[in-house]
Amino acid sequence: METAMTFQEEIKQGIPTVLPEAKPYSSDANHAPKRKDILSVEEKQLAVRNALRYFPKEWHQELAEEFAQELKDLGRIYMYRFKPSYHMKARSIADYPAKCQQAAAIMLMVDNNLDPAVAQHPEELITYGGNGAVFQNWAQYLLAMKYLSEMENDQTLHIYSGHPMGLFPSSADAPRVVVTNGMMIPNYSKPDDLEKFNALGVTQYGQMTAGSFMYIGPQGIVHGTTITVMNAFRKVLNKGEGPQGKIFLTAGLGGMSGAQPKAGNIANCITVCAEVNASAATKRHQQGWVDELIDNIDDLVARVKAAQANEEVVSIAYIGNIVDVWESFYEHEVYVHLGSDQTSLHNPWSGGYYPVDISFEESNRLIREEPEVFKEKVQATLIRHANAINKHTALGTYFFDYGNAFLLEASRAGGDVMAENGIDFKYPSYVQDILGPMCFDYGFGPFRWVCASGKPEDLDKTDAIAASVLKKIMQESPEEIQQQMQDNITWIEDAKQNKLVVGSQARILYADAQGRMEIAKAFNDAVNSGEIGPVVLGRDHHDVSGTDSPYRETSNIYDGSRFTADMAIHNVIGDSFRGATWVSIHNGGGVGWGEVVNGGFGMLLDGSAASERRLKSMLLFDVNNGIARRSWARNEEANFAIKREMARTPKLKVTLANLVEDDILNNLSL
Ligand SMILES: NC(=O)c1ccc[n+]([C@@H]2O[C@H](COP(=O)([O-])OP(=O)(O)OC[C@H]3O[C@@H](n4cnc5c(N)ncnc54)[C@H](O)[C@@H]3O)[C@@H](O)[C@H]2O)c1
């Protein structure tokens, strides 16, 4: 008779020695959509052959048929049968079977990314973004966890797009894991290449923090959106004026966009967020992410006028089309201070953006049955949308693109969004105007940590430590970054009450190089003294140095180098030999396959002197690599930040740019 294995035994076993029972396709899970059927018959054979590499010959006949069926039904082979029986979630670091703590920390982070409370399509090993994968299939998960359980602290596990190639001898200071996701020969990086090579089982889309085991649920996006909204208000308000009673008008209450009303509340304004899908709006309302629901445009106008008059801080979801809101606010003279949009215009023709004047249901029918008509309606709506925004901006509204391709698609549709030079857009993107110059160029970015004990009290203690470190640093911060420091202190002081933890005991905090290093050192001291358990450090890839992405993270690089990816590559290589516990580098992430290269790291603080040495060396480089590049691109704020860092760190010597007078260039005959 079979006895159930313990969690630790199951991990140590890896691929089981006895073929597990086939698992029925679970009907209650949120499954990934069926992927494009793109392989030829020969290629399908190759995909099955590739999948069978993980298993003994005796199982091949049975598994070949099952995998072929998965490929047919879903476009991918996930190997559901091999999904472990234990509940997937981040356990305490002490619960993992491991020979070194660093490996146990990585296991904890992997499991967090696959926790059904955290992951979008957990059965398909997808953490977020529809396709952000941790592994391609369950065999890869089982093997990787087994390797981690066996790993000693002079070995490194190399993972190729989810596939654990193996443990290689290295050294105690080397990373324990090196991850690459979706790295392609550049000419094979078109969207259909991803579909094909992913279906063959030889590459995957790691998004940013999915494939690097560093996702921490929605709090990351709430913090980034809060910083963006607060700083956008600062661009339009007079000194001493607050956002209370001022309107931030936007759209979308979906995955990431659903953070907007919560961020608006934290930033103290009136948020009006249109959402065509009533069930998405209701879900956000039930979760407490938006305060009020209104489905009638006249009621909305009356409600916002009252909120303006009373200087309220409130978030309102309007169930309907965003274009109606822009038009009717203009007609009824409702002044909008900030405007943006987070409909999914990176995906305009299959439901990312809904046309005005037809119902949600009718739109969905058109997508399926009359896609050409749907496309025309979307384009006509985009033209109206742009016209309505233009009327508001003529009155003084500040509009910014939220990295969702609104301006790109509006321009393609013929909307009036181009600048006079015919090359640029009329309006900036959030990175060009806000996150780039106000945060990234100074080194502020989404630093994060996870308390590996799994104890909420440890998280409270780390919040308090981080707040006190920042307050101390702020006393000597230059004028240029005082505001950022204060915002981050406010964020960390309010973090617990904002109830943002989902999954592991994690916290995000925008901090610069000095802040990250001093906070990390204080954590390591607290681990050493036994005040808290070990801490895992990391960051979103959407940061100062981690990501080369010409239309997002590096959109405020103007020396022509924004189409290069040297910074992200240097970042991950540089972090790897300065003490990262694991590093990862990905093609794709946020804006799409072939459009971005992004990397990140994880680092375990175990309280040791070695941890202290590593954190100082690696965090200094991890941030300043990007500041150096931004400064070389002539960004003023980065130039200020890198000079300050060189004064603090004598061994840092960065090449500085000389600025040329415009007249010299203008008088050239070219
Ligand atoms: N939040 C961020 O920090 C951030 C950063 C970069 C890019 N983005 C971009 O923002 C977009 C949204 O991301 P998401 O995860 O929320 O996507 P999502 O698809 O989950 O949500 C978008 C929502 O917009 C709604 N919508 C579509 N058309 C509408 C219309 N005309 N009027 C009103 N509502 C409409 C949809 O019903 C949907 O619920 C994506 O393109 C993403 O890449 C967000």
Side-chain angles (χ1 to χ4, degrees), residues 349-354 362-371 374:
W349 319 128
S350 28
Y353 181 85
Y354 282 80
E362 173 63 2
S363 295
N364 286 336
R365 189 193 66 76
L366 288 178
I367 294 172
R368 281 192 312 273
E369 293 169 19
E370 295 175 70
F374 182 76

Side-chain angles (χ1 to χ4, degrees), residues 58-69:
E58 314 82 82
W59 301 354
H60 284 182
Q61 184 60 47
E62 186 171 348
L63 291 182
E65 283 166 28
E66 188 170 307
F67 293 167
Q69 195 61 44

